[in-house]
Amino acid sequence: MSTTQAALSPVRSLISQRLQRYGWRLNTGSALAVKTFRTAVGDRDAFVYLADFGKDSREFMLQGDYQSEGRNHLDPHPILFAKTSTPEEIQNAASRFAVLVDAAIANTYAMRLA
């Protein structure tokens, strides 16, 4: 495990714990977690990723992917938080992200039909 991965591990854990409260399931791939939404056209998955832009960056970014209508509806909804954030601030960022995701997906065409 690289130094960057080791530093991310506690952050990933805090985010994952908080996202589970919002119905997200842990993921073993590159995405931290996945959440399934029932839509009028069937089940659709949303994925959340934690981005680190290197040692010169002061922030982490939570970003999501939810494909519908030929585009990622979560692209305009990233959450940035400082690498110096406390555990509580990290979990609050995860909560804000989860709420934004639910709202963005609720406004997709397939969800409005459901």
Side-chain angles (χ1 to χ4, degrees):
M1 181 180 293
S2 73
T3 305
T4 302
Q5 288 174 327
L8 277 175
S9 190
V11 174
R12 289 176 63 93
S13 178
L14 286 166
I15 293 167
S16 296
Q17 288 171 13
R18 183 54 59 99
L19 289 176
Q20 286 179 14
R21 292 184 183 179
Y22 290 89
W24 292 80
R25 300 178 316 279
L26 299 183
N27 191 48
T28 57
S30 60
L32 265 173
V34 60
K35 184 174 181 180
T36 302
F37 292 84
R38 295 192 179 249
T39 75
V41 295
D43 290 351
R44 302 251 181 185
D45 289 332
F47 299 91
V48 60
Y49 301 89
L50 177 63
D52 179 3
F53 299 103
K55 64 179 180 161
D56 294 330
S57 172
R58 295 184 208 161
E59 298 173 313
F60 291 119
M61 181 171 68
L62 280 175
Q63 56 192 8
D65 184 40
Y66 178 82
Q67 296 295 319
S68 180
E69 302 163 58
R71 68 182 182 93
N72 178 6
H73 283 267
L74 303 183
D75 194 40
H77 301 290
I79 295 287
L80 296 171
F81 61 96
K83 289 183 176 180
T84 58
S85 294
T86 65
E88 182 179 356
E89 290 168 334
I90 293 168
Q91 290 182 322
N92 287 341
S95 291
R96 284 194 319 275
F97 181 80
V99 169
L100 278 172
V101 165
D102 285 349
I105 292 173
N107 283 319
T108 63
Y109 181 71
M111 285 296 286
R112 288 192 312 262
L113 289 177

